Amino acid sequence: MSWLTHTLNGLAYGSLLFLVASGLTITFGLMRTVNLAHGAFYLLGGYLAYDLATRGTDYWLAMAIGVVGAAVAGMIAQRLLLHRIAGQELPQIVLTLGLALVIGDQILAHYGGDPISPPTPPGLTGPVELGALVFPKFRLVLIGIAVGLALLVSALLRYTPIGAKVRAAVDDQEMARTVGIRVPLIFLLVFGLGTGLAAFAGVWGGAFTSLSPDSGFDVLLLALVVVIAGGLGSIPGALVAALAVGLVEEFGRVLFPGWAMFTLYAAVALVLALRPQGLLGKGAVR
Amino acid sequence: MGSPPYRLRVLAVVAALLAVAACGSRSPSIEGAPTSATAATGGKGTLTVGLLNPLTGPFAALGTDVNAGFELYLKSKGGVLSGYGIKVVKEDEGTDPAQGTTKARQLVEQSKAQMVVGLVNSAIAYAVAPYLEQADVPLLITVAGADGLTRKKGGNTFRVSYTSSQDVMPLGEHTCKTLGHKKAAILGLDYSFGWEAAGGFARAYEDAGCAVVQEIYAPLATQDWGPYVNQIKKDEADVVYVVAPGSDGIRLLKAYRDFGVQLPMVAHGSTVDETTLPTEAGTAEGVISSLHYTPQIKSPANDALVAAFTQERKKSANQYADDGWTAGMVLEQALAQIDGAPTPESLRAALTKVKVESPRGPVSFDAYGQAVYNVYIRKVEQRDGGWANTIVTTVPEVGQFFTYGEEKYLTFPGYDKLKGTWAK
């Protein structure tokens, strides 16, 4: 029975990691924009929703404003800053790192450094009991959300005209421009989608764990692990990698508690040694 | 080059940089407290105090609270303690020992600090304390808890805050004898503070006649406590003792309630202190913990701290505010015993004799420079629409060696060696 609990919990934690990584796999994996500010947008969404919810705004409205707010902030950053250095990875690293520090310090100045936690979505608090199995409702729902989100975003990219334009814009920018695709607009929207997803993860992930001005980088690190192990730009890859990381973390902590930090990165190193392009990566496209 | 728009742009950038620099020099904790520019002059002279607390990094919130506590006390005295005008110089402790030592050196050599107050991170404290001893500048620690920092008789280091094991030894006894929980599972953090705080509880608990049945240690900054909470032997233990300050405490409590664990919880006080309690809220209900402070203490001294701190920082007073405030009171009483220019010897001699009535109650120092104070066994309860640590009972005059006596206590092996050996 405890094995079932551990497995479910590993999947739930993996689902949280997927929520965080889904946005990054779009901005970094797909658009090839190195975005070290991903964790900062995660915080931005979480803190906005927390702020509104504690002032009495309806939970779902607070969440929506948090997500849209961070998406708009992301688009502004893309338009004003990142747009100018498209394709230049080193300036992107420095710029987005600086952006992450600025956002983190603004949060510190505004909300203080004590950790906060956005509320658990209404109706999802407490455990469910299925026979002898006691498991938190919220975590169970999280697994469903992650799988649903993965399907939705994959379908969006694969089967819709917008998705086709995005793939075209990413694969060959000049050719896409010549056939009339508005590449800058596409990039702007995709970046907004990525930061919006980060913010959504901040609202829900913050309820799962908690948020503090410095937790953005912890999240970024795990998201990078998932995106790279899953294969750059592959949504199904990110889902598989996230769930695998969740399970490895869970069982690593149960079976070898003294090696908690080691088991995860050892597993990732093994994956990359055998498949440098990641689990479901397409190999070297460039 | 030299065209007006270019020059304008340069001007704009310079102006922006100047504006940023001007903002940066402003103290992040409180305004209006004496700074180097506004130090009040006292009848007996001046004393330069270096405040060395983290203003950036994961401990920034704690450091800011300690500074606010110290400076608010100073402000309440008009910047003069026992006739000495106090000149405060602030530096950022930072996040690693090298940076902390550099800043301590800067305080001593450039700012001519005659005394250093602060330190949150024990690893940094272990590096800074020997430097200050060699530089002959007394050190008053306000948070860093490593047991080993105050193990030298008649040394240069004093500490108003707890040693990691000091506040929980009374809780071990209380849990066994008063609460009657005979078998405990320990859920703690896997680093020196976690081992010492777990070991102090386990020692007193087992010596009171009860047994630890399980020890679980998780790494610092564990995101998901689910795997650890699920390992608790619910059939064997009848109480869970928890050590998890900061955001770890929030996550642990959430997982504990989400997975429906029904065992009662006792905790190191910093797991449910006022920095995290508003966020933990209902998940912390009923947790019994021990600490040297709670804002619920009823005394004029504590009323003064709570009023000043709440007004300034717009949040509840907490142990860190008290640590800073009490450091101010300690300094005041030490200076009262001195005439003329304070020397390192006179400061150290005066500090050993201090006995103040601080917000947390009476505070004095043992021969090793470690504070002796009341420890409060508290319970998290709802009060006035918020959550509070109400006092269950007070254990008076708890020292770092508890009831063991220093000679016997100092023969015990270090808690890092004892980790994992408590559970039978």
Side-chain angles (χ1 to χ4, degrees):
Chain A
M1 187 49 67
S2 74
W3 291 103
L4 185 57
T5 312
H6 285 310
T7 308
L8 273 179
N9 195 50
L11 291 177
Y13 187 57
S15 301
L16 171 68
L17 292 181
F18 174 73
L19 290 194
V20 181
S22 61
L24 192 66
T25 199
I26 291 174
T27 52
F28 173 50
L30 198 63
M31 281 174 60
R32 301 291 159 126
T33 302
V34 183
N35 180 17
L36 298 185
H38 190 73
F41 289 110
Y42 168 93
L43 288 182
L44 202 60
Y47 269 89
L48 261 179
Y50 158 80
D51 192 337
L52 292 168
T54 48
R55 284 171 201 229
T57 313
D58 174 65
Y59 178 81
W60 302 106
L61 182 65
M63 186 180 97
I65 295 176
V67 169
V68 172
V72 170
M75 288 196 273
I76 292 173
Q78 203 275 340
R79 186 69 222 172
L80 295 183
L81 303 169
L82 285 166
H83 177 63
R84 295 161 197 273
I85 49 172
Q88 303 172 47
E89 276 153 10
L90 290 178
Q92 283 172 356
I93 290 176
V94 176
L95 185 77
T96 53
L97 190 62
L99 193 62
L101 292 173
V102 168
I103 294 177
D105 269 7
Q106 286 304 317
I107 289 173
L108 179 65
H110 207 257
Y111 294 100
D114 295 338
I116 59 110
S117 181
T120 307
L124 297 183
T125 49
V128 278
E129 289 177 36
L130 308 165
L133 176 74
V134 180
F135 199 76
K137 235 182 271 176
F138 179 49
R139 295 185 186 213
L140 217 50
V141 171
L142 208 54
I143 302 177
I145 296 268
V147 174
L149 188 70
L151 290 175
L152 191 72
V153 177
S154 305
L156 185 79
L157 287 177
R158 185 161 299 180
Y159 299 115
T160 64
I162 299 257
K165 284 182 186 173
V166 170
R167 280 180 289 138
V170 169
D171 276 351
D172 195 329
Q173 221 188 97
E174 277 176 34
M175 196 58 87
R177 278 174 193 264
T178 39
V179 298
I181 296 174
R182 296 177 65 189
V183 173
L185 180 70
I186 294 278
F187 272 27
L188 187 67
L189 292 178
V190 172
F191 200 82
L193 176 68
T195 51
L197 283 173
F200 173 63
V203 182
W204 278 48
F208 191 127
T209 60
S210 67
L211 303 174
S212 62
D214 56 302
S215 63
F217 287 104
D218 303 343
V219 162
L220 175 72
L221 186 64
L222 286 170
L224 279 172
V225 165
V226 166
V227 169
I228 292 169
L232 285 182
S234 164
I235 297 278
L239 181 65
V240 171
L243 295 180
V245 165
L247 287 171
V248 168
E249 279 259 284
E250 174 86 19
F251 284 103
R253 274 154 199 247
V254 175
L255 300 176
F256 325 100
W259 299 76
M261 302 305 260
F262 175 75
T263 41
L264 170 62
Y265 292 100
V268 170
L270 194 67
V271 166
L272 291 182
L274 297 176
R275 275 187 73 84
Q277 70 272 43
L279 286 173
L280 298 184
K282 278 182 286 187
V285 266
R286 290 195 290 178
Chain B
M1 191 171 145
S3 67
Y6 175 79
R7 227 182 292 159
L8 265 181
R9 229 185 299 163
V10 171
L11 263 180
V13 168
V14 170
L17 284 176
L18 281 178
V20 169
C23 293
S25 70
R26 203 176 290 164
S27 118
S29 59
I30 56 172
E31 289 171 36
T35 59
S36 46
T38 62
T41 44
K44 287 157 81 180
T46 57
L47 180 81
T48 307
V49 174
L51 268 187
L52 186 58
N53 276 307
L55 303 174
T56 53
F59 295 128
L62 311 193
T64 316
D65 285 354
V66 174
N67 282 355
F70 185 82
E71 291 177 292
L72 283 168
Y73 185 70
L74 207 52
K75 193 177 165 189
S76 77
K77 295 283 166 172
V80 181
L81 297 181
S82 303
Y84 289 92
I86 304 296
K87 180 178 164 187
V88 174
V89 192
K90 244 183 286 183
E91 286 296 343
D92 182 1
E93 176 189 333
T95 51
D96 68 271
Q99 189 187 352
T101 316
T102 306
K103 293 295 185 179
R105 198 177 286 274
Q106 202 174 327
L107 281 175
V108 170
E109 290 173 8
Q110 282 175 21
S111 309
K112 306 290 176 209
Q114 292 158 279
M115 175 151 169
V116 171
V117 175
L119 298 178
V120 168
N121 183 327
S122 286
I124 298 178
Y126 269 126
V128 168
Y131 162 71
L132 289 176
E133 183 167 0
Q134 167 242 313
D136 203 18
V137 175
L139 167 65
L140 184 57
I141 295 178
T142 45
V143 177
D147 286 3
L149 287 166
T150 46
R151 285 294 153 80
K152 197 165 152 190
K153 242 178 192 165
N156 185 57
T157 305
F158 295 80
R159 172 160 54 190
V160 290
S161 51
Y162 57 62
T163 74
S164 311
S165 52
Q166 188 172 357
D167 287 14
V168 286
M169 285 189 278
L171 181 68
E173 213 172 75
H174 182 83
T175 306
C176 181
K177 289 185 175 162
T178 313
L179 298 177
H181 299 311
K182 299 294 179 200
K183 288 177 174 165
I186 290 178
L187 186 51
L189 282 170
D190 208 2
Y191 72 119
S192 60
F193 170 76
W195 306 330
E196 290 174 0
F201 173 88
R203 164 164 289 138
Y205 183 71
E206 297 201 326
D207 288 348
C210 293
V212 174
V213 294
Q214 189 183 17
E215 288 173 76
I216 307 170
Y217 297 96
L220 196 58
T222 287
Q223 295 292 320
D224 181 14
W225 281 80
Y228 300 102
V229 165
N230 278 320
Q231 289 178 59
I232 295 170
K233 294 180 182 165
K234 292 173 204 145
D235 312 325
E236 277 185 55
D238 53 12
V239 67
V240 180
Y241 168 70
V242 164
V243 187
S247 45
D248 278 306
I250 294 174
R251 297 175 193 137
L252 186 156
L253 278 165
K254 192 170 273 199
Y256 198 84
R257 302 304 178 199
D258 278 352
F259 278 98
V261 183
Q262 300 296 334
L263 294 173
M265 184 189 281
V266 294
H268 187 287
S270 49
T271 311
V272 289
D273 71 22
E274 288 66 32
T275 59
T276 53
L277 193 58
T279 302
E280 290 164 346
T283 62
E285 184 170 14
V287 172
I288 306 258
S289 66
S290 60
L291 198 66
H292 57 277
Y293 182 75
T294 161
Q296 298 296 316
I297 296 167
K298 296 276 172 284
S299 72
N302 189 41
D303 290 349
L305 164 62
V306 168
F309 190 83
T310 315
Q311 194 201 352
E312 181 66 40
R313 301 275 290 140
K314 310 276 181 264
K315 62 176 194 176
S316 168
N318 53 47
Q319 55 165 326
Y320 308 108
D322 165 79
D323 289 333
W325 184 279
T326 301
M329 295 185 104
V330 164
L331 183 59
E332 179 180 37
Q333 220 190 65
L335 290 173
Q337 304 167 36
I338 298 173
D339 278 316
T343 63
E345 296 80 46
S346 66
L347 272 172
R348 281 190 293 261
L351 281 167
T352 55
K353 290 188 212 118
V354 162
K355 190 168 175 82
V356 292
E357 197 60 40
S358 97
R360 72 174 85 149
V363 176
S364 57
F365 292 102
D366 68 12
Y368 299 83
Q370 173 59 35
V372 178
Y373 45 65
N374 294 347
V375 164
Y376 300 91
I377 311 281
R378 310 105 35 98
K379 183 176 190 181
V380 176
E381 286 175 345
Q382 202 150 22
R383 184 162 283 202
D384 308 327
W387 295 88
N389 283 299
T390 56
I391 299 171
V392 177
T393 174
T394 305
V395 186
E397 291 190 47
V398 176
Q400 61 174 330
F401 307 118
F402 194 41
T403 54
Y404 294 97
E406 58 183 75
E407 269 160 38
K408 184 174 173 203
Y409 197 93
L410 289 174
T411 62
F412 295 143
Y415 287 114
D416 53 335
K417 308 254 178 357
L418 293 170
K419 166 204 171 192
T421 65
W422 302 106
K424 303 285 177 323

